[in-house]
Amino acid sequence: MSSPTSFLPLDGVRVLSLALNLPGPAALLRCRRMGASCLKLEPPGGDPMALYNKPAYAALHEGIAIEAADLKTEAGQQQLHAALAKTDVLLTSFRPSALRKLGLDWPALQARHPSLSQVAIVGAPGERAEEPGHDLTYVAESGLVPGTELPPTLYADMGGALLASEAVLTAMLHRARGGEKAEGIYLEVALNASADWLALPRTWGLTQLTGAVGGAHAGYRVYPCADGRVAVAALEPHFANRLCEAAGVTPPDMMAAATHEALAAWLARRTRAELDAMSRERDVPLLTLAD
């Protein structure tokens, strides 16, 4: 019996990508890690990611076969369709109008390559797919940019990559259920929808200031300590009780302002080493951080 770590759900699956920048390459990398054979066709000028962040480009394309192809030329089209004839799933990130100009809209693809599936990454679904946008606009639309600071990572792009790799799995499950003669399917992945998915805890109120994991619970916060910071995640009652016992806070009403103040004062006097030791000793989930 194979171990879970050796199971590759996309082993033998051939994925061809035309998607540039971050979401498409990140999705392709996930497909490769799930065992897929991955080919990417890049325009003659290459992927912009290679220009503005070479380390990211290198990490994203590890194990990916890359070929240059000018899809606006007859030679490039021939190269593309020769590859598509041997492909299971095509991954794109063009707007619908650009796909039509290249003859890669879904009706044209399905007519020429009936067994091929397509996973199309777009900014927004349906009629909004022609709108320009980037990670920042999608994340802001989802309510995840409350101030003027940029988000610490590219949530919509990376979330979209997860959804796109999930869509590749869906396409192959569709084929497996339909047998050898199954036609391919078209699946659309919208980056703003991936941001909406990541924003659901905030929408539900969990990460709002009044929410338990938004700052209202004294055991789930980041506090200053004597020589840095400490991320405390003592959310469940048994963890909260252990933390409060260590700090001498009784009774532990974790939503009370007095508890917040008492824990903040106690943590501010402890070093990272002391807090790490307390965490191990009392089995309290926390992580100390340098400033």
Side-chain angles (χ1 to χ4, degrees):
M1 180 180 293
S2 297
S3 68
T5 55
S6 65
F7 174 61
L8 299 173
L10 293 180
D11 187 27
V13 174
R14 296 157 299 184
V15 180
L16 188 154
S17 178
L18 305 177
L20 307 177
N21 286 311
L22 182 56
L28 191 64
L29 178 62
R30 288 190 63 80
C31 290
R32 186 193 68 74
R33 289 180 175 175
M34 287 188 281
S37 174
C38 298
L39 169 65
K40 182 185 178 195
L41 298 186
E42 293 185 353
D47 189 322
M49 175 72 78
L51 300 176
Y52 62 77
N53 195 309
K54 292 183 184 299
Y57 178 85
L60 285 165
H61 294 83
E62 182 182 355
I64 307 296
I66 300 173
E67 297 178 8
D70 187 348
L71 302 185
K72 297 178 181 179
T73 67
E74 181 62 29
Q77 284 285 320
Q78 290 178 0
Q79 180 183 355
L80 169 64
H81 285 284
L84 287 177
K86 301 177 289 185
T87 293
D88 297 302
V89 182
L90 171 66
L91 186 64
T92 63
S93 61
F94 297 111
R95 298 187 204 183
S97 58
L99 286 174
R100 284 193 297 273
K101 289 178 182 177
L102 293 170
L104 296 176
D105 53 294
W106 178 238
L109 272 176
Q110 192 173 40
R112 191 162 180 176
H113 305 283
S115 64
L116 176 71
S117 290
Q118 181 183 8
V119 174
I121 300 173
V122 296
E127 296 180 357
R128 294 189 57 197
E130 291 293 338
E131 295 179 7
H134 262 300
D135 183 276
L136 181 58
T137 56
Y138 307 133
V139 174
E141 182 181 357
S142 296
L144 297 177
V145 188
T148 57
E149 295 293 323
L150 290 174
T153 191
L154 299 172
Y155 292 108
D157 284 354
M158 297 305 286
L162 290 174
L163 294 182
S165 58
E166 179 184 278
V168 173
L169 288 168
T170 300
M172 298 317 299
L173 180 60
H174 166 80
R175 173 181 288 184
R177 288 181 174 177
E180 292 183 3
K181 296 183 179 180
E183 292 189 346
I185 57 172
Y186 173 86
L187 297 165
E188 185 177 86
V189 172
L191 296 180
N192 72 339
S194 77
D196 286 343
W197 173 253
L198 295 177
L200 280 176
R202 185 174 179 83
T203 303
W204 295 329
L206 288 171
T207 59
Q208 299 284 357
L209 292 177
T210 55
V213 292
H217 189 288
Y220 198 93
R221 297 192 61 174
V222 180
Y223 292 93
C225 63
D227 56 352
R229 297 169 293 148
V230 55
V232 180
L235 188 62
E236 292 84 352
H238 58 286
F239 288 139
N241 289 338
R242 292 171 194 166
L243 173 65
C244 288
E245 286 172 5
V249 178
T250 54
D253 178 358
M254 304 309 291
M255 310 302 276
T259 305
H260 283 257
E261 293 166 4
L263 283 177
W266 183 80
L267 291 165
R269 297 192 297 270
R270 266 67 193 176
T271 65
R272 294 173 62 195
E274 289 172 328
L275 292 172
D276 287 336
M278 184 277 291
S279 172
R280 291 190 297 270
E281 201 174 294
R282 294 178 178 263
D283 190 30
V284 175
L286 61 79
L287 179 71
T288 58
L289 305 159
D291 282 329

